[in-house]
Amino acid sequence: MEKYDVVILGGGNAGMGVTVPTRAAGMSVAMIEARDLGGTCPNRGCTPKKVLVAAAHALHEIERADRHGITVDTPRLDWRALIEREKDMIRDIPCRLSGLMAKRGVDVIVGEAAFIGSNTISVDGRELEARNIVIATGSKPRSLPIPGAEHLTISDDVLNDPVLPRAVVFVGGGVIAFELGHVYARASVDVTILEALPHLLGGFDADAVAQIRGESERIGIHVRTLAWVNRIDKVDGRLRVTFVADGIECAVEADRVVNCAGRVANVERLDLGAGVIAHREGRIEIDDHLRSRSNPDVYVCGDALWNSPQLSPIATYEGGIVGRNIVDGPRHRPDYGHIPASVYTVPALASVGLTEAKAKEQGLGVKVHVNDMKDWLSARTYAETVAWSKVIVEETTDRIVGAHMVGHAGEELIHLFALAMKHRITAPLLSDMVFGFPTFASDVRNMMQRIERRQRTEYEPHLCFDARKISNPCKKNMTTAEELR
């Protein structure tokens, strides 16, 4: 029996997050990983996907070139070369992470782990005992119980396939479907997204989702909600997806059908029962400190959790909390309220904090300010196809409780709102900042102008005159403040 202070099941972001505080405290740590160190995000998820998204961004810029007086021929994407570039970008990640774990003093064991006792793990004939065991095994695609499910591919396959399909159907209208759908559509692939529920991108603000749906349809993606897939058949070398929408049976043919119906915790092979770990349908029962309710020596973090967002920064964050709880005792709790999230469509959807619906559900008195920024000077300068924001502020305190953006560099600007929320910087204080101009960030002030509790005496410091003094904004050569934005 090999003995450790901590045994971590899984070598992804969550597991690596655990190693920082535990090794700093001098604890002996073993990490068991059956596949590549780094897990899904750097090897089969976020990082390789962003290489494809970057190509989609380039195509998006070329699409708008004529708005800048630039004439270009129709671009042609070499899909095989793009996949090769993606693979080249991530090729050495597991090796580099292996070196990092060695430098950190973590023993990495390759193999499939399973519980054989409340504090004991078996891996390829070896038995490990630990004072604390951490389940950080990530997630896997949810299986779909429909005839023809064997024809489904997953996002891993998309990132590995050097052949660009002519048509693709995504079953499920979540983040992966929209992100990969935008890449495919900009590569001239016929894309269809079928969602069984009435809403898309669950968890995001409904108005923001409506904006990204409109942009998705503008670039040719076919989006159907309340569309129940009945079966998938192989017909003449192609795949036919039969579904029911509005009470009518429909069919669409494609070269690829991708399962994007969500992901579930990857724990079925761990023999949780042998570890005295209470669970239901793969959902491990945990307390506020991320500990198993039935076995307090076992912690869970990352995508193996069922009740937190499946995002790689959150996995690292949760891993750090678990590590600190192992070192300090169970006193640290996660706070997800200030962590931003983005859907990397082109342009992106970004969000932090409460949606408008959640704020009202919680009974908060809020001011909600929505801006269609497409006609603002900054958006017109860059010929943005969509530029939209919603900022939600608590009425009595001026605290920002939620922010949602589509386009306008929202995936970057959302961090300003997250920072303000975390450190209790109110809407007026954030709006009082002097931003570099001209930048998208300088528009943060305008996004919140009408929700400030006090009245401004000037419009914008970078304007050379007080726009409110214009006596007749309709007069020739006169410009209103709204037009200047």
Side-chain angles (χ1 to χ4, degrees):
M1 182 75 71
E2 302 172 56
K3 295 189 177 184
Y4 287 90
D5 293 316
V6 184
V7 169
I8 303 167
L9 311 184
N13 287 3
M16 292 189 176
V18 177
T19 67
V20 178
T22 53
R23 285 298 300 136
M27 292 182 168
S28 57
V29 179
M31 173 180 286
I32 304 173
E33 172 57 53
R35 211 167 162 184
D36 300 323
L37 276 183
T40 297
C41 176
N43 295 305
R44 301 176 295 281
C46 320
T47 304
K49 176 190 64 185
K50 284 300 291 290
V51 177
L52 273 59
V53 170
H57 268 284
L59 291 170
H60 184 57
E61 294 294 328
I62 294 169
E63 174 198 345
R64 297 175 294 160
D66 65 319
R67 299 287 298 276
H68 303 288
I70 302 170
T71 301
V72 295
D73 293 330
T74 302
R76 184 183 67 84
L77 174 63
D78 186 336
W79 184 262
R80 184 179 295 274
L82 177 61
I83 295 298
E84 288 175 359
R85 178 173 187 262
E86 169 235 315
K87 293 303 174 195
D88 184 61
M89 293 278 287
I90 65 172
R91 185 169 288 115
D92 63 340
I93 287 176
C95 182
R96 286 160 52 193
L97 291 176
S98 178
L100 174 63
M101 290 299 99
K103 184 177 179 180
R104 200 169 284 175
V106 176
D107 294 341
V108 175
I109 302 169
V110 179
E112 289 274 359
F115 282 89
I116 54 175
S118 59
N119 291 79
T120 316
I121 294 294
S122 171
V123 53
D124 291 347
R126 297 169 65 175
E127 293 185 1
L128 282 66
E129 183 180 67
R131 289 194 293 125
N132 288 108
I133 297 174
V134 181
I135 298 174
T137 47
S139 63
K140 62 179 182 178
R142 185 190 308 276
S143 60
L144 293 176
I146 57 175
E150 67 273 11
H151 300 305
L152 287 165
T153 58
I154 59 175
S155 57
D156 295 27
D157 302 313
V158 173
L159 297 171
N160 286 323
D161 192 351
V163 178
L164 184 68
R166 291 172 295 163
V168 173
V169 172
F170 292 96
V171 180
V175 173
I176 296 173
F178 273 90
E179 291 179 340
L180 294 180
H182 269 240
V183 173
Y184 271 142
R186 294 184 185 285
S188 301
V189 175
D190 188 11
V191 177
T192 301
I193 296 176
L194 302 176
E195 172 55 58
L197 297 175
H199 52 268
L200 302 157
L201 294 169
F204 286 91
D205 186 88
D207 292 334
V209 172
Q211 292 289 322
I212 208 63
R213 176 174 183 168
E215 179 69 1
S216 301
E217 291 174 337
R218 184 190 74 81
I219 64 173
I221 297 176
H222 314 286
V223 182
R224 298 291 298 268
T225 54
L226 292 172
W228 291 83
V229 174
N230 282 344
R231 64 183 186 276
I232 303 169
D233 301 301
K234 196 160 191 177
V235 180
D236 297 329
R238 303 193 81 200
L239 297 173
R240 178 178 297 161
V241 181
T242 304
F243 63 97
V244 175
D246 299 323
I248 301 171
E249 188 174 83
C250 311
V252 59
E253 291 193 355
D255 304 299
R256 305 278 187 278
V257 182
V258 186
N259 178 3
C260 289
R263 298 176 70 88
V264 296
N266 184 26
V267 296
E268 65 180 12
R269 295 186 179 181
L270 295 182
D271 198 351
L272 297 176
V276 196
I277 301 166
H279 63 285
R280 181 178 297 178
E281 296 179 354
R283 296 183 171 190
I284 298 173
E285 297 178 11
I286 59 167
D287 64 15
D288 291 343
H289 306 288
L290 307 182
R291 288 189 308 175
S292 162
R293 289 192 180 277
S294 57
N295 184 348
D297 294 334
V298 171
Y299 286 85
V300 190
C301 54
D303 286 5
L305 284 173
W306 60 272
N307 60 347
S308 67
Q310 292 182 332
L311 301 170
S312 59
I314 288 182
T316 304
Y317 169 67
E318 290 169 343
I321 288 174
V322 165
R324 287 158 59 201
N325 280 335
I326 290 172
V327 173
D328 302 334
R331 53 176 136 170
H332 305 289
R333 303 178 182 183
D335 178 4
Y336 303 107
H338 312 133
I339 300 176
S342 293
V343 182
Y344 294 103
T345 44
V346 183
L349 183 162
S351 174
V352 65
L354 299 176
T355 64
E356 182 178 355
K358 281 290 184 185
K360 291 177 178 177
E361 184 182 304
Q362 292 182 14
L364 294 179
V366 295
K367 303 177 197 178
V368 180
H369 191 47
V370 178
N371 290 290
D372 184 346
M373 303 180 290
K374 199 161 64 173
D375 289 330
W376 290 14
L377 188 61
S378 48
R380 287 160 52 201
T381 298
Y382 287 91
E384 286 199 277
T385 53
V386 57
W388 180 94
S389 70
K390 175 188 285 191
V391 183
I392 305 166
V393 174
E394 189 173 32
E395 217 164 9
T396 56
T397 64
D398 278 334
R399 282 191 316 118
I400 300 168
V401 297
H404 313 276
M405 300 183 66
V406 178
H408 225 61
E411 66 271 42
E412 301 292 345
L413 294 191
I414 203 67
H415 294 91
L416 280 174
F417 291 101
L419 184 72
M421 291 168 64
K422 181 175 178 61
H423 296 287
R424 297 185 175 275
I425 301 170
T426 63
L429 286 174
L430 181 59
S431 190
D432 273 343
M433 284 183 59
V434 178
F435 294 89
F437 178 84
T439 60
F440 285 141
S442 65
D443 281 336
V444 166
R445 304 183 71 223
N446 298 330
M447 292 175 202
M448 299 188 295
Q449 187 190 15
R450 294 195 186 97
I451 53 177
E452 293 182 31
R453 303 190 69 190
R454 57 180 172 72
Q455 293 294 320
R456 288 193 174 278
T457 56
E458 76 285 337
Y459 177 67
E460 282 289 338
H462 58 262
L463 297 184
C464 59
F465 58 89
D466 186 344
R468 295 179 307 143
K469 294 180 180 178
I470 297 176
S471 58
N472 182 4
C474 297
K475 189 176 178 181
K476 187 177 180 181
N477 296 327
M478 288 293 187
T479 307
T480 67
E482 189 70 24
E483 291 171 327
L484 283 165
R485 291 206 298 177

